[in-house]
Amino acid sequence: MAGVNMSLGTEATISPDHTDVTNSSWLLNRTVPERNGSVQVTGSAVKECTQISIPTEVYLILAGISLLENLLVIIAVIKNRNLHSPMYFFICSLAISDILLSLTKAWEAVTISVISGKEHLFTHVLIKILDDIYDSLLCISFTASVFNLAAITTDRYITIFHALRYHNIMTKKRVAVIIAAIWIFCTFTGIIMISFAKYDGIVSFFFILFFITLVLILSLYIFIFLLAQVHAKQIRSLPGYRAHQRTNFKGALRLTILLGIFIVCWAPFSLHFTLYLFCPSNPYCACFICLFQVDLIFIMCHSIIDPLIYAFQNPELCNTFKKMLCCFKRHA
């Protein structure tokens, strides 16, 4: 909640002049105060950077769309027993993390708008607690989204390359354990990350964990794509190649789009994290770090795109949506 100039890891301070919701929450603010006793970036250096103002309405609109889409996915999977499979359980877990991310950011923006200019009505302790709660929830949703994406990618890899053993590998009990482990670990990590954010070791651990997971996702998708190209070459030598050509092209195009969207939406946040750790005192790095809210907008957009990629393209799920819509019209 940097809109009220909150600083994680230091004593809370409130500045009535800072009412811009576009200031970042945890990663930006910690570049201004001291970190482990060494000043990273001066306040004047940050002020010279170009600020991008994002209205609260933008967060509310994105959060509303994300909530609607992801709730539809969760309800459809619950209602249709044909969708009670490991992949859709992971998709539901991803939908929950996307909802948590979008609603947390939207509610934080609303809270900042309410508090701005009225800081004297709230105690420092209350604002610090709210700040930590929002930041922890954002951190939990970040890590949960990435880990759920990694689980979905791994599930697809097993589906393609270990099809005969898939049901032995991905049992419902094992999937439930994986999803529970993801949320327990992400909750623990998010709380620790915010509670001890002033320590370099904690931030470095989060950074390494985050990038290892991203590299795993990218590596699996690239491997799937390359192997799909090898299979496509083998199919070209078979009779009836023309009949399969369009299907292969669609599959390759869909995988390329999926990978491209993932990179575009998560690259700004990844770069933000990298610059924060390796060059926080550089004025150019500091200016990019000031655009943290823009990075969040990209990730919120990805939470809207996730259902379109992983859920709405499935015929079974689309039929469930149609039935739900018909039932809603009848009741209306």
Side-chain angles (χ1 to χ4, degrees):
M1 287 174 59
V4 288
N5 198 26
M6 296 294 294
S7 173
L8 294 176
T10 60
E11 185 178 355
T13 57
I14 300 176
S15 173
D17 295 330
H18 291 81
T19 58
D20 187 5
V21 181
T22 61
N23 289 333
S24 77
S25 48
W26 46 287
L27 283 180
L28 170 59
N29 288 316
R30 290 181 59 249
T31 61
V32 178
E34 291 186 1
R35 182 159 65 98
N36 283 359
S38 60
V39 177
Q40 299 298 322
V41 178
T42 62
S44 59
V46 174
K47 289 179 181 177
E48 292 177 358
C49 302
T50 302
Q51 298 290 331
I52 298 179
S53 177
I54 300 176
T56 304
E57 292 78 11
V58 173
Y59 295 110
L60 295 177
I61 292 171
L62 292 177
I65 297 173
S66 176
L67 177 64
L68 178 62
E69 286 186 352
N70 288 290
L71 270 182
L72 279 175
V73 172
I74 294 171
I75 294 171
V77 172
I78 292 174
K79 289 179 69 68
N80 191 340
R81 292 193 174 186
N82 293 331
L83 299 176
H84 290 185
S85 63
M87 181 180 71
Y88 288 101
F89 292 150
F90 287 130
I91 288 176
C92 282
S93 182
L94 175 63
I96 293 171
S97 63
D98 286 340
I99 290 173
L100 178 63
L101 169 64
S102 299
L103 290 185
T104 299
K105 188 55 209 168
W107 190 245
E108 183 190 39
V110 171
T111 305
I112 291 173
S113 297
V114 172
I115 291 179
S116 295
K118 303 175 184 177
E119 293 85 356
H120 61 282
L121 300 177
F122 303 90
T123 64
H124 290 237
V125 175
L126 175 61
I127 296 178
K128 182 67 168 67
I129 291 173
L130 288 175
D131 185 44
D132 288 345
I133 290 173
Y134 286 134
D135 291 341
S136 295
L137 288 174
L138 281 174
C139 195
I140 291 168
S141 59
F142 283 150
T143 52
S145 293
V146 173
F147 272 81
N148 282 312
L149 286 170
I152 291 172
T153 309
T154 305
D155 179 79
R156 286 192 168 188
Y157 173 83
I158 296 172
T159 302
I160 296 172
F161 300 109
H162 301 280
L164 297 178
R165 298 175 52 216
Y166 177 79
H167 293 290
N168 293 329
I169 298 173
M170 302 300 291
T171 62
K172 289 185 178 181
K173 182 181 290 187
R174 190 168 292 171
V175 170
V177 171
I178 292 172
I179 292 174
I182 286 174
W183 281 102
I184 292 172
F185 178 77
C186 291
T187 302
F188 176 78
T189 303
I191 294 173
I192 293 298
M193 174 66 185
I194 300 305
S195 300
F196 301 95
K198 63 181 179 180
Y199 297 104
D200 288 342
I202 298 295
V203 180
S204 299
F205 169 77
F206 187 84
F207 172 82
I208 294 170
L209 181 69
F210 177 77
F211 272 91
I212 287 176
T213 310
L214 288 185
V215 169
L216 173 65
I217 296 171
L218 290 173
S219 300
L220 285 176
Y221 271 123
I222 292 172
F223 185 72
I224 292 172
F225 178 80
L226 293 176
L227 214 56
Q229 296 303 306
V230 173
H231 289 171
K233 289 181 180 179
Q234 294 175 349
I235 291 174
R236 288 172 194 166
S237 61
L238 299 175
Y241 156 67
R242 291 181 181 179
H244 296 282
Q245 186 175 12
R246 187 177 179 182
T247 304
N248 294 330
F249 177 75
K250 281 186 176 180
L253 180 63
R254 183 179 301 174
L255 192 59
T256 303
I257 293 173
L258 189 151
L259 190 60
I261 291 174
F262 177 81
I263 293 173
V264 168
C265 291
W266 282 93
F269 179 76
S270 304
L271 181 59
H272 174 101
F273 219 150
T274 305
L275 296 179
Y276 166 72
L277 280 177
F278 294 105
C279 63
S281 58
N282 185 292
Y284 297 103
C285 295
C287 285
F288 184 86
I289 292 171
C290 288
L291 303 178
F292 181 66
Q293 296 303 317
V294 179
D295 304 340
L296 283 181
I297 290 294
F298 275 100
I299 296 177
M300 290 180 73
C301 288
H302 194 257
S303 70
I304 294 174
I305 298 171
D306 279 340
L308 302 178
I309 295 175
Y310 297 105
F312 292 157
Q313 292 185 358
N314 182 276
E316 183 75 26
L317 200 57
C318 288
N319 290 332
T320 305
F321 289 141
K322 291 177 183 178
K323 291 178 182 178
M324 289 168 58
L325 184 61
C326 291
C327 291
F328 177 77
K329 288 183 177 178
R330 288 176 186 176
H331 289 295

